[in-house]
Amino acid sequence: MKNFNRRQMGALALATTLCLGAATLASAQEWMPTKPVRIIVPITGSTNDVLARLIAPKLQEVFGQPFVVENKPGAGGNIGADMVAKALPDGHTLLIGYNGPLAINVSLFDKMPYDPVKDLAPITLMVKAPQYLVVNPASGITSVKDFVEKTKANPAKYSYGSVALGSASHLTMEMFKSAAGFHITHIPYRGAGPAVGDLIAGNIQAGFFVPGNVQQFAKEGRLKLLATSGLKRFASTPDIPTLSESGYPDFEATSWIGFLTTGGTPAPIIERYNREIVKIVRSPEITKRLLDMEFEIVATTPNQFRDWIGSEIKRWGKVIKDTGTKAE
């Protein structure tokens, strides 16, 4: 080493730095799973499940390993999310998460088995969408005004279902109850499938659900759409007003879905997943499917998704505090 002059030492240092930088870039590009990857869906019969099963085969094509979708519902999504939070941080366990276990439950539950900010690593916020306020046609309810009047007049007669305790489906109705001053009993389910099934059967009378869960049933006349929880009408149902238009100014509640993995997973793995999932979500085939389901495609970076979760924790925390809602 003593025979090297300063110029040679500088060149050697630069070469070493460039090699390290290239190695880091290569690791981000070349990381591959070495065994089957689990995609945990913390809810059943929902758009989360549909999206997981849309994306899984595409990821399998990219990575050459099976991507197995597993439904692990319960405790408002906490059971499935906790499984991912406690998995090995090696990229072989993914979570398709939503408002409840990522942003709502920290304020809704007195005790959480995981910290959604520290124990889960965001990959990308894929989609978001407002919801429909939906009723069973046999209820005789014809409008938002009629819904509020009837529930105020006879609260014991009406109940509503949600896709899970602590979901946007749950908290949106609690927001609406607070804004309109009526009471209706909450029946939490383990996914949209059983909740919508009971709504069609008349076992519950109402609910808030994303379009993909209820539009087809509305077209068939088995459900009635009253309003949307967004600030603008859905393009596919221009005759259905927003709650804001229906007498509740600035009322807005959004459901969203994204991919995460275990906290502490190395950045190159997260970056690789982000790049591939965003590419899949923005592909013509998947884009069409998502738009048909009335989703807004977001496809963020990991940092943008992290910031979004932080802002949603504050937003839904305020709703929970203002409405006095707690886990039953």
Side-chain angles (χ1 to χ4, degrees):
M1 186 66 71
K2 64 183 178 181
N3 294 325
F4 278 69
N5 59 36
R6 287 185 179 180
R7 181 176 295 178
Q8 289 171 319
M9 289 287 287
L12 180 61
L14 177 60
T16 301
T17 300
L18 290 174
C19 286
L20 288 172
T24 301
L25 180 61
S27 66
Q29 293 173 337
E30 295 171 1
W31 178 83
M32 297 285 283
T34 57
K35 59 183 179 180
V37 177
R38 304 167 72 196
I39 300 178
I40 304 299
V41 184
I43 194 169
T44 56
S46 67
T47 48
N48 299 63
D49 186 75
V50 172
L51 293 188
R53 296 178 193 280
L54 276 178
I55 303 297
K58 302 298 183 183
L59 288 172
Q60 187 165 315
E61 290 174 14
V62 171
F63 290 107
Q65 289 285 350
F67 277 72
V68 183
V69 177
E70 299 181 23
N71 297 94
K72 300 293 181 181
N78 282 353
I79 289 174
D82 188 47
M83 289 179 65
V84 180
K86 291 180 170 56
L88 289 175
D90 61 1
H92 290 90
T93 310
L94 304 178
L95 172 71
I96 186 157
Y98 61 97
N99 310 51
L102 300 180
I104 292 174
N105 291 355
V106 289
S107 298
L108 190 69
F109 287 80
D110 291 330
K111 212 170 172 185
M112 287 283 285
Y114 61 94
D115 184 326
V117 175
K118 295 178 181 177
D119 298 333
L120 294 169
I123 295 174
T124 183
L125 171 60
M126 290 192 299
V127 295
K128 57 183 179 178
Q131 304 160 88
Y132 284 113
L133 171 60
V134 191
V135 295
N136 183 301
S139 67
I141 296 169
T142 58
S143 66
V144 172
K145 183 173 182 289
D146 192 31
F147 176 81
V148 173
E149 288 176 350
K150 280 185 165 67
T151 51
K152 281 183 175 179
N154 195 353
K157 182 180 177 181
Y158 300 97
S159 60
Y160 80 95
S162 72
V163 303
L165 180 70
S167 61
S169 174
H170 170 200
L171 267 293
T172 300
M173 185 65 85
E174 294 303 313
M175 284 174 63
F176 187 38
K177 284 167 61 176
S178 179
F182 65 89
H183 177 75
I184 186 171
T185 301
H186 175 220
I187 310 294
Y189 289 80
R190 289 190 172 188
V196 173
D198 261 10
L199 180 57
I200 292 170
N203 297 324
I204 54 176
Q205 289 70 49
F208 274 98
F209 301 99
V210 294
N213 291 331
V214 294
Q215 268 193 344
Q216 186 57 43
F217 299 118
K219 288 177 184 176
E220 296 167 359
R222 300 164 75 186
L223 293 176
K224 183 173 181 58
L225 310 176
L226 298 184
T228 77
S229 66
L231 293 179
K232 60 182 181 180
R233 300 185 182 196
F234 283 116
S236 61
T237 52
D239 56 325
I240 304 299
T242 66
L243 283 171
S244 185
E245 292 175 292
S246 303
Y248 304 93
D250 301 320
F251 190 101
E252 182 182 22
T254 303
S255 180
W256 47 267
I257 302 171
F259 263 102
L260 304 93
T261 189
T262 309
T265 298
I269 298 176
I270 293 171
E271 289 162 9
R272 181 79 197 275
Y273 271 130
N274 175 266
R275 185 166 63 253
E276 299 302 341
I277 293 171
V278 167
K279 193 185 300 180
I280 290 166
V281 167
R282 294 201 177 280
S283 68
E285 176 192 351
I286 301 301
T287 291
K288 183 180 185 307
R289 292 290 300 274
L290 296 176
L291 293 178
D292 286 346
M293 294 167 71
E294 299 277 8
F295 277 116
E296 175 190 345
I297 297 170
V298 187
T300 67
T301 66
N303 284 338
Q304 287 170 332
F305 191 14
R306 181 178 293 106
D307 291 344
W308 173 262
I309 291 170
S311 66
E312 285 285 279
I313 287 173
K314 292 178 182 176
R315 181 175 185 275
W316 289 107
K318 183 177 186 304
V319 170
I320 290 165
K321 182 179 178 181
D322 291 348
T323 60
T325 305
K326 295 304 287 184
E328 291 95 341

